[in-house]
Amino acid sequence: MFGPAALRLAIFAAFATALLHLGPAQAADGFDFSPEQPGRIRTERNDAAIAAISPGFKFVTPGKFTVAVSPGGPPLATYATDAKTVIGADPDYALAVADSLGLTLELVPIAWIDWPLGLTSGKYDAVISNVGVTEQRKEKFDFSSYRQGLHGFFVKTDSAVTSIKEPKNAAGLRIIVGAGTNQERILLKWNDENVAAGLKPLELQYYDDEATSLVALASGRADVIVQPHAQLVFIAARDQNIKRVGTLSAGWPERSDVAITTRKGSGLADALTVATNGLIESGTYAKILDRWQLSEEALPKSETNPPGLPKS
């Protein structure tokens, strides 16, 4: 017989093995991870966006839009089943922007931590890789917003929890969150509000990795998991045992934007903003987000250098 500790280890090992066999690029309901990407959305050139490119701006490679992306995981960016083609919502969006500028897309896979140095050193024209706008980053980079930065509240599909929109909805719930994350910072503020209002406190739970967190949720040891929204969208489609009951802005109580990132003062940001607004107006933008089940993250319009998260 297993003791409690051994049983937990056995459950985790089985779960981790299942995840390894699945792999980051294996098909899940509603997602296509083939390298061919037959459903990829294309668009027409946008003359207004092209005209907005600064006359002094020079692309890394003439005729190409060179974009850095980090294949950190679906649905934002990952490797296809051929283990070399980068696919996902961010690559699709980069392709639509390249089309708008009348250019060929050149994707450069990178480690996420390397994007600032690579961009400032001129290795690529832009970064489209879930980079959030912050006031500190705006000192060195320009931004053209293209998505909301959201965290997701997800529960078991049979959970009695049906909606989390504000602090009081989370009162008394056992919530899995990453230590030191932005979502933990926000939930601690929610907890303070609830306690001050005489409501039950939140019970925050911390685990070493995603697999252990999902086991805790599935076993009923926790009520809710909070992670970046896109990650949980994919897990929900893959595992079919969790569902979204709410979203949380990364800049709560204000909106927090994700943006195309370019070198400060390079003269490209305004053109990318015009291109994005053209994609929004034509409906191409909505189709791209819907293709990767990220419609919840849609922006009403793109802005150049919108308000960012304040300096800590």
Side-chain angles (χ1 to χ4, degrees):
M1 293 180 62
F2 286 121
L7 180 60
R8 286 195 297 271
L9 183 60
I11 292 173
F12 170 73
F15 194 86
T17 299
L19 288 179
L20 288 172
H21 283 301
L22 182 67
Q26 185 168 328
D29 282 0
F31 294 105
D32 171 23
F33 292 110
S34 69
E36 296 81 12
Q37 292 293 290
R40 180 171 279 166
I41 312 299
R42 304 299 298 264
T43 193
E44 301 296 324
R45 61 183 280 145
N46 183 331
D47 290 336
I50 295 170
I53 300 172
S54 172
F57 182 82
K58 294 186 182 299
F59 288 95
V60 171
T61 301
K64 292 186 177 182
F65 183 40
T66 304
V67 175
V69 62
S70 174
L76 294 181
T78 191
Y79 285 104
T81 51
D82 65 355
K84 62 181 181 181
T85 303
V86 181
I87 61 170
D90 281 344
D92 275 14
Y93 177 70
L95 179 62
V97 173
D99 284 346
S100 299
L101 299 178
L103 300 171
T104 300
L105 177 64
E106 181 76 22
L107 277 182
V108 181
I110 60 163
W112 197 88
I113 196 172
D114 292 336
W115 72 257
L117 180 59
L119 185 58
T120 55
S121 64
K123 290 184 177 180
Y124 21 86
D125 302 310
V127 176
I128 301 181
S129 194
N130 202 41
V131 178
V133 182
T134 71
E135 291 303 313
Q136 185 169 359
R137 286 175 180 162
K138 281 164 66 176
E139 294 176 357
K140 295 183 178 180
F141 303 100
D142 284 330
F143 294 95
S144 302
S145 57
Y146 71 98
R147 248 187 23 245
Q148 292 187 63
L150 293 181
H151 304 305
F153 292 105
F154 280 65
V155 300
K156 290 173 61 179
T157 50
D158 60 356
S159 173
V161 179
T162 59
S163 178
I164 300 177
K165 295 182 178 179
E166 54 186 327
K168 66 181 182 181
N169 300 143
L173 296 180
R174 300 167 298 169
I175 302 177
I176 298 170
V177 67
T181 61
N182 189 46
Q183 52 265 39
E184 180 200 32
R185 176 187 63 80
I186 295 169
L187 290 178
L188 289 173
K189 291 183 179 179
W190 279 33
N191 186 65
D192 291 342
E193 284 193 19
N194 283 344
V195 171
L199 300 174
K200 291 182 179 179
L202 281 61
E203 180 187 314
L204 300 187
Q205 297 184 5
Y206 304 91
Y207 296 94
D208 291 336
D209 53 52
E210 184 178 90
T212 311
S213 298
L214 294 172
V215 169
L217 186 65
S219 67
R221 295 202 302 273
D223 303 306
V224 185
I225 185 169
V226 179
Q227 281 185 197
H229 175 254
Q231 295 175 6
L232 291 172
V233 164
F234 173 71
I235 292 169
R238 181 192 69 193
D239 297 348
Q240 299 286 305
N241 63 358
I242 63 173
K243 63 181 181 181
R244 179 179 57 227
V245 293
T247 57
L248 174 69
S249 170
W252 183 88
E254 305 298 330
R255 194 181 77 199
S256 175
D257 290 346
V258 172
I260 309 175
T261 311
T262 52
R263 292 183 294 280
K264 190 74 176 177
S266 68
L268 188 59
D270 285 340
L272 299 178
T273 300
V274 173
T276 299
N277 282 323
L279 295 172
I280 292 172
E281 291 164 10
S282 70
T284 302
Y285 172 80
K287 291 177 182 177
I288 292 171
L289 292 184
D290 183 63
R291 181 170 190 252
W292 296 98
Q293 300 185 26
L294 295 176
S295 297
E296 290 280 331
E297 301 190 6
L299 285 174
K301 68 173 183 178
S302 175
E303 299 177 69
T304 299
N305 292 323
L309 295 179
K311 295 180 181 180
S312 56

